Amino acid sequence: SGDLDRSDTRDELVTADVIFAATGVTDGSIVSGIKREVGYLTTETILMRSKTGSVRRMIYRNPTSAT
């Protein structure tokens, strides 16, 4: 519309289902970074979905390969 003083709301900017995911590489305020343990790497991911309002925090403990 050309109105530079107008601010759009979140609902005006996002009109469809949006999924946001973030996995920490280094420690931050939202998720932890990768942790090394004997034989494992642990990562943390946060997943948010606009349609349901759900927020999920997932922690994965992945075995490292012995080479």
Side-chain angles (χ1 to χ4, degrees):
S1 70
D3 184 356
L4 298 178
D5 294 321
R6 182 178 183 282
S7 294
D8 292 330
T9 66
R10 178 198 63 209
D11 292 336
E12 290 170 324
L13 292 172
V14 180
T15 59
D17 186 21
V18 175
I19 295 175
F20 170 82
T23 299
V25 176
T26 59
D27 285 339
S29 58
I30 298 175
V31 291
S32 297
I34 298 169
K35 303 288 187 238
R36 293 176 193 249
E37 303 168 45
V38 177
Y40 292 93
L41 289 177
T42 301
T43 59
E44 183 176 6
T45 298
I46 190 166
L47 180 69
M48 298 181 227
R49 186 171 181 197
S50 65
K51 184 176 183 179
T52 60
S54 65
V55 177
R56 294 185 179 133
R57 185 173 304 276
M58 296 162 283
I59 298 174
Y60 293 97
R61 192 167 184 242
N62 303 296
T64 56
S65 60
T67 56

